C-alpha cells in the first residue's frame, strides 16, 4: 500500500508513523553514521518534520513502513537552503516548481521493489502538483540504490568531506520514466491513481494539474 500523508495527519496512522521514524533512526544514525537526533522512543525526527511536510510512504501487508520520503516546497524553509548552501555555491534553490525531497529511507526488511514503488509514488506527486524537479541532500552511499532503481540525480555539488560525503542533487521525472517505474513494480496507472485519490489530497491540487511529458 502507498500512503500520501501530511505531517498533521500522521497521527491517524500511529504504527506506520512510528515504524517510519524508527527506520529513519536505523538508516541515518546507525547505518550511515549521520549526526541526527533520536528521541526516547527510538524515532529520528528533526525540525522539518514540524513544518507539515508531505510524506510518501510505502507500507507492507502489516501496515508497517517499508520506504518513505519527505517533501517540502522550496518556497518555504528547506534543509538544503538552511544548511547546505555551501554545496550549492551559495545559490538558494527556491521555486514553486521545485520541491525538496529528504529523508529517503528504506527499511532493512523492505521488499526489493519498495524503493521503486516509492520513486513511482514520488513521480505521481510531481504530476499532480505541477512539480518539475525534486532537490535533495543525499549520502554518497545511496547512489547504488538510485542506480538500481534507474533514477540517478543530476549532482549539483558535493561536500568537501571524503569520509562522509554529502551531495545535493536534482531529480526530474517524465511520463516515460514514470511508466517504467510502474511497470517495474507491477502497478497500473489506475492503481496509483486510486492510492492518490484515497489519500484525500485532491482538494489541495493546483487548478490545472500538469501532465508529465516524455
Amino acid at each position: 500500500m502507498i500512503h500520501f500523508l501530511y505531517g498533521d495527519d500522521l497521527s491517524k496512522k500511529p504504527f506506520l508513523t512510528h515504524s517510519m521514524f524508527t527506520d529513519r533512526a536505523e538508516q541515518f544514525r546507525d547505518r550511515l553514521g549521520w549526526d541526527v537526533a533520536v528521541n526516547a522512543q527510538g524515532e529520528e525526527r528533526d525540525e522539518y518534520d514540524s513544518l507539515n511536510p508531505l510524506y510518501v510512504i510505502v507500507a507492507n501487508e502489516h501496515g508497517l513502513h517499508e520506504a518513505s520520503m519527505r517533501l517540502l516546497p522550496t518556497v518555504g524553509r528547506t534543509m538544503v537552503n538552511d544548511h547546505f548552501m555551501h554545496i550549492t555555491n551559495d545559490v538558494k534553490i527556491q521555486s514553486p516548481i521545485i520541491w525538496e525531497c529528504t529523508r529517503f529511507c528504506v527499511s532493512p526488511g523492505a521488499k526489493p521493489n519498495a524503493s521503486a514503488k516509492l520513486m513511482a509514488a514520488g513521480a505521481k506527486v510531481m504530476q499532480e502538483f505541477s512539480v518539475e524537479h525534486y532537490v535533495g541532500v543525499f549520502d554518497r552511499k545511496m547512489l547504488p540504490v538510485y542506480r538500481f532503481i534507474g533514477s540517478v540525480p543530476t549532482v549539483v555539488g558535493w561536500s568537501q568531506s571524503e569520509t562522509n560525503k554529502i551531495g545535493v542533487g536534482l531529480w526530474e521525472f517524465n511520463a516515460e520514466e514514470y511508466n517504467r517505474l510502474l511497470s517495474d513494480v507491477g502497478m497500473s496507472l489506475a492503481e496509483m491513481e486510486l492510492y492518490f485519490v484515497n489519500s484525500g489530497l485532491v482538494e489541495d491540487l493546483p487548478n490545472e494539474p500538469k501532465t508529465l511529458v516524455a
Side-chain angles (χ1 to χ4, degrees):
M1 179 166 289
I2 297 173
H3 301 272
F4 302 87
L5 291 168
Y6 283 112
D8 290 349
D9 295 323
L10 287 179
S11 60
K12 298 175 182 178
K13 303 282 184 181
F15 297 109
L16 175 65
T17 298
H18 177 67
S19 63
M20 176 180 70
F21 286 120
T22 53
D23 279 346
R24 275 177 36 174
E26 183 168 353
Q27 175 169 312
F28 296 112
R29 181 191 63 181
D30 301 340
R31 300 208 305 270
L32 296 178
W34 288 18
D35 182 17
V36 295
V38 177
N39 64 22
Q41 289 73 46
E43 300 175 339
E44 187 278 311
R45 296 175 182 255
D46 68 14
E47 59 192 295
Y48 301 95
D49 292 304
S50 66
L51 299 180
N52 195 33
L54 177 59
Y55 296 89
V56 182
I57 309 172
V58 178
N60 65 19
E61 62 273 20
H62 305 294
L64 298 177
H65 172 265
E66 281 199 311
S68 59
M69 62 172 70
R70 180 180 66 190
L71 304 174
L72 280 168
T74 59
V75 293
R77 284 189 56 211
T78 60
M79 181 182 292
V80 67
N81 289 332
D82 288 350
H83 300 287
F84 293 95
M85 285 181 60
H86 61 285
I87 298 179
T88 65
N89 290 322
D90 293 325
V91 175
K92 181 174 283 190
I93 298 174
Q94 198 168 47
S95 167
I97 58 174
I98 302 175
W99 282 17
E100 180 180 67
C101 173
T102 54
R103 292 305 194 257
F104 188 103
C105 177
V106 181
S107 171
K111 295 181 181 65
N113 66 359
S115 296
K117 276 187 180 181
L118 183 61
M119 297 297 281
K124 180 62 175 174
V125 172
M126 295 182 83
Q127 182 184 52
E128 296 290 348
F129 283 90
S130 302
V131 177
E132 293 188 2
H133 290 88
Y134 286 144
V135 61
V137 179
F138 63 95
D139 192 289
R140 181 171 55 184
K141 297 172 186 174
M142 288 296 293
L143 280 176
V145 176
Y146 301 140
R147 291 193 186 101
F148 176 77
I149 300 169
S151 186
V152 180
T154 298
V155 177
V156 176
W158 291 103
S159 65
Q160 296 300 311
S161 171
E162 289 298 328
T163 57
N164 190 21
K165 206 165 187 67
I166 301 297
V168 172
L170 286 168
W171 284 260
E172 180 180 10
F173 287 92
N174 56 39
E176 182 179 352
E177 181 165 2
Y178 178 43
N179 290 333
R180 178 188 62 77
L181 286 166
L182 288 175
S183 177
D184 287 348
V185 300
M187 186 181 297
S188 67
L189 286 166
E191 188 177 0
M192 181 64 79
E193 180 70 19
L194 189 60
Y195 283 133
F196 189 84
V197 170
N198 286 340
S199 71
L201 299 184
V202 175
E203 61 186 28
D204 298 324
L205 298 178
N207 292 330
E208 296 181 4
K210 177 183 176 181
T211 300
L212 298 179
V213 294

